Amino acid sequence: MNAPARLNAQQHDAVTYMDGPCLVLAGAGSGKTRVITQKIAHLIDSGVYEAKNIAALTFTNKAAAEMQERISKLLTEPKQASQLTISTFHSLGVKILRQEAAELNLKDRFSILDSDDCFSLVQDLAVTTDKQTIRRIQGVISLWKNGMVDPVVALKNAVDDEEAQAARIYQNYMATLSAYQAVDFDDLIRLPVELFRSNDKVREKWQRRLRYLLVDEYQDTNTCQYELVKLLVTGAGKKPMFTAVGDDDQAIYAWRGATIENLKTLQDDFSDLKIIRLEQNYRSSTRILQAANAVIKNNPKLFEKTLWSEHGLGEPVEVSSMPDDEQEAEQIVMQLSAHKFERHAKFSDYAILYRGNYQARIFETALRRDNIPYTISGGQSFFARSEIRDIISYLRLIANLDDDPAFIRAVTTPRRGVGQSTLETLGAFAGQWQCSLFEAVFKGGIEAKLAPRQLTPLREFCDFINQIEERASRPGASGKGENAAALLDELMHEIAYEAYLYDNFDERTAKTKWQNVLEFTNWLKDKSKGGKHEDGPEKNLLELTQMVALMTMLEGRDQEPDAVHLSTLHAAKGLEFPHVFLVGVEEGILPHLGDPDTPAEQLATRIQEERRLMYVGITRAQRTLHISWCKKRKRGREIVQCEPSRFIEEMKLDEGDAPPKEDEIITPKDRLANLKALLQKPKAA
DNA sequence: ACTCCCGATATTTTT
DNA sequence: TATCGGGAGT
């Protein structure tokens, strides 16, 4: 086992504490992932827990993959690593639902609708056509679900007309989902919670299976997720055993339902909660941490916490004002190049961080002009591309014939003589008989509604899907049906998707789209074989489809080996970079102020979250941090005056950042680095 | 009805 | 820089 010796005292406490519930308040860069992975190893090594009874929950696939990776290296027995449950909340939800579907009147072949599908669902149910409103309604419904508010209560508590309307849509929305035998992302957590609440037997089964729980990024959990954790760890005659790791100062997802309240509640719900603070930062220089601490001090604190570092004072944090946004981009790219040249650094040592996605554009063009490689994190996900969603709709339909949204998409792309009016008639008929669209195609009486020229293509399509479906589920060599990806290849050939692309798009786009499709099918093939873990079980089409629904990025895709990172502050959480440029730090942008007429109290909590965002930004930097703001900025057609963000003042740079004194403690490594920097500076100017 | 063009406009994002 | 919505034109 490597390196328990390298854990500091608090980390050691966190890793070895096994007497009960444990909350680790892990400041930025304090070795959070290390504690989790080491703790898992410790749980196993101590002999108290078996790998198959330990579960670690994360929010993103990326975090889960990284954790799995790191734990695999740590464990002496490679077999143990594959027995662990390391997954996102949502994939655990899928696993539970698939196994317990019968208890919930859900078939195990349920579909998982993504937010786009849900959007169109709400669109169909809503009176308005205004996209903004529909999006708001969708958001409200999601918040209700995550807060475990049912439609009746939502309607009763509605404060205005729109909310009342949303509550009514909410009710229909749930009914529609169950008609489709489909769930949305929120249901993946909510339904297991309801099941565990109502069925002790099932709950105890899962409690026996998951005896020790570790929760990453605990500050980002919403009410529903916390409830799931609570239900899994508390049982009659059972001592709650879990470790939650989080940082209230990095809670930046309140807008999508996360509540830091969950940190406080934890103390109330578990009176013997052991709280451990990790305050030693292994990432940044002291100056950077001072700035971060100074900013976050302005927030009311749940838990007092001050980060410190052994890395020495480091270089001053630089703040510069720019004439306008265009020059900001230009200057920063220039500074970055010079800086890189001076230090013989790599492009990948640099990150440019900003509040809103739209701010990326101007930096992209500036970087491109200078031929500097860059990658943008966030942005449109691979699985959201229309060509991929087209293919997925076929998969979903084959897995679940009741999935009407998938049916509509698949039957109309590529076009095969089924149009809007045919679908409307079919929909009305299906509604009348309370059956799915697919079923309606073969139901007696449909002949009276649809002319043969409308019905024939429908039946041909459904026969075709039926035939694929049958082969996918017929027991084959593996006992799980014919190979999913091979079937998919045949499917692609049959529906002539490539030809469709070239018919409907110009050659260039068609080509890239087709390449995406091929990449996707290849990836699927790989996954159906069990992925890179050769011992992983072979997956059938159903399992693949449900997994795909939870994916956003295709891991290991076109990664520039050496590129500047462009990222929103949100997407940068959990990452670190030697040199960080935090740009557009202006009032109205970094404390982003939405509606000018938001109530004062709401504004206050919003500002607090914005401050945490600033804190996250500052603490991404290891060695140097540049902050910039613009005096003027183009906004649409007009140019607006800007003020520096209040957060710049709050960093208290002038006081804490006096010229370095002789007697200040600097580690040799840092002193050398500083010296080098000083020697090289004159060259740059 | 349906498409095309122009102008206004911009949170954050995972599952 | 895209995207969305409105208005005009087929």
Side-chain angles (χ1 to χ4, degrees), chain A residues 133-330:
Chain A
T133 315
I134 291 166
R135 173 140 298 161
R136 262 204 316 277
I137 293 173
Q138 195 191 3
V140 173
I141 291 177
S142 177
L143 286 178
W144 277 329
K145 288 188 134 185
N146 289 327
M148 311 231 296
V149 179
D150 69 60
V152 182
V153 176
L155 186 60
K156 212 169 61 191
N157 294 343
V159 291
D160 57 27
D161 230 34
E162 190 179 291
E163 228 176 88
Q165 198 208 346
R168 278 186 284 270
I169 293 169
Y170 180 20
Q171 187 139 38
N172 291 330
Y173 173 88
M174 302 244 284
T176 315
L177 280 184
S178 73
Y180 295 167
Q181 286 289 307
V183 300
D184 62 17
F185 287 133
D186 303 324
D187 286 333
L188 295 175
I189 318 290
R190 193 182 61 86
L191 291 174
V193 165
E194 290 199 343
L195 176 66
F196 287 163
R197 275 186 179 171
S198 63
N199 191 327
D200 289 343
K201 235 177 162 166
V202 174
R203 191 175 96 218
E204 279 157 21
K205 184 170 107 196
W206 284 89
Q207 286 182 343
R208 257 176 274 124
R209 181 142 164 214
L210 308 173
R211 287 171 197 274
Y212 201 101
L213 218 56
L214 297 103
V215 183
D216 190 23
E217 304 282 11
Y218 180 75
Q219 77 285 349
D220 290 336
T221 51
N222 59 40
T223 309
C224 213
Q225 286 159 335
Y226 175 54
E227 201 59 30
L228 183 67
V229 170
K230 212 159 74 176
L231 285 164
L232 277 171
V233 300
T234 55
K238 170 180 185 300
K239 197 165 169 55
M241 280 297 174
F242 66 87
T243 297
V245 183
D247 181 4
D248 48 327
D249 291 332
Q250 292 186 73
I252 52 175
Y253 286 110
W255 52 274
R256 66 181 200 211
T259 68
I260 353 179
E261 280 295 293
N262 283 351
L263 275 168
K264 210 163 40 185
T265 320
L266 209 57
Q267 289 182 97
D268 302 335
D269 288 345
F270 303 95
S271 52
D272 56 340
L273 182 73
K274 168 94 167 173
I275 299 179
I276 296 169
R277 287 176 175 72
L278 306 183
E279 292 173 303
Q280 179 174 5
N281 171 294
Y282 294 92
R283 179 185 292 155
S284 312
S285 71
T286 297
R287 274 209 176 89
I288 290 167
L289 290 182
Q290 279 169 353
N293 283 330
V295 167
I296 206 66
K297 217 168 61 194
N298 295 285
N299 268 6
K301 303 280 305 199
L302 215 48
F303 300 97
E304 218 39 70
K305 184 156 53 55
T306 307
L307 292 181
W308 59 278
S309 159
E310 280 180 346
H311 283 179
L313 199 56
E315 294 168 62
V317 174
E318 277 178 30
V319 177
S320 29
S321 63
M322 304 288 184
D324 61 49
D325 50 345
E326 201 132 326
Q327 297 201 44
E328 181 187 37
E330 203 174 305

Side-chain angles (χ1 to χ4, degrees), chain A residues 8 181-182 231 409 555 579 631:
Chain A
N8 67 36
Q181 286 289 307
L231 285 164
R409 194 179 181 113
E555 61 249 42
H579 311 292
K631 291 175 176 151

Side-chain angles (χ1 to χ4, degrees), chain A residues 467-619:
Chain A
Q467 173 224 325
I468 300 273
E469 188 276 330
E470 193 199 323
R471 287 169 52 193
S473 48
R474 181 198 304 155
S478 64
K480 281 192 152 186
E482 279 181 57
N483 179 281
L487 265 174
L488 185 64
D489 272 350
E490 195 186 320
L491 179 85
M492 300 298 301
H493 179 73
E494 288 289 327
I495 66 177
Y497 195 77
E498 188 179 8
Y500 155 81
L501 287 176
Y502 280 92
D503 286 348
N504 287 275
F505 301 93
D506 64 81
E507 188 157 339
R508 249 183 79 80
T509 32
K511 199 174 167 185
T512 50
K513 276 171 185 286
W514 181 242
Q515 238 142 36
N516 283 335
V517 169
L518 288 178
E519 195 173 355
F520 177 61
T521 50
N522 284 332
W523 178 82
L524 267 185
K525 277 179 201 163
D526 188 51
K527 286 289 166 184
S528 71
K529 276 181 267 164
K532 68 179 138 189
H533 301 286
E534 277 135 48
D535 49 345
E538 190 167 309
K539 286 190 162 59
N540 66 16
L541 191 125
L542 167 69
E543 289 167 316
L544 274 181
T545 309
Q546 290 183 341
M547 181 186 70
V548 163
L550 299 181
M551 305 295 255
T552 41
M553 287 342 171
L554 211 45
E555 61 249 42
R557 252 180 109 254
D558 51 59
Q559 276 169 0
E560 284 272 5
D562 183 28
V564 174
H565 294 260
L566 292 182
S567 171
T568 61
L569 288 166
H570 283 93
K573 192 166 82 156
L575 305 178
E576 57 183 15
F577 307 95
H579 311 292
V580 168
F581 290 87
L582 191 47
V583 304
V585 188
E586 293 139 44
E587 277 298 298
I589 294 189
L590 190 31
H592 182 269
L593 307 165
D595 268 343
D597 44 58
T598 18
E601 45 175 311
Q602 239 180 71
L603 196 72
T605 50
R606 265 242 290 280
I607 297 270
Q608 285 168 25
E609 178 147 317
E610 297 290 317
R611 187 173 283 120
R612 293 192 289 268
L613 214 40
M614 179 76 180
Y615 177 79
V616 166
I618 295 171
T619 53

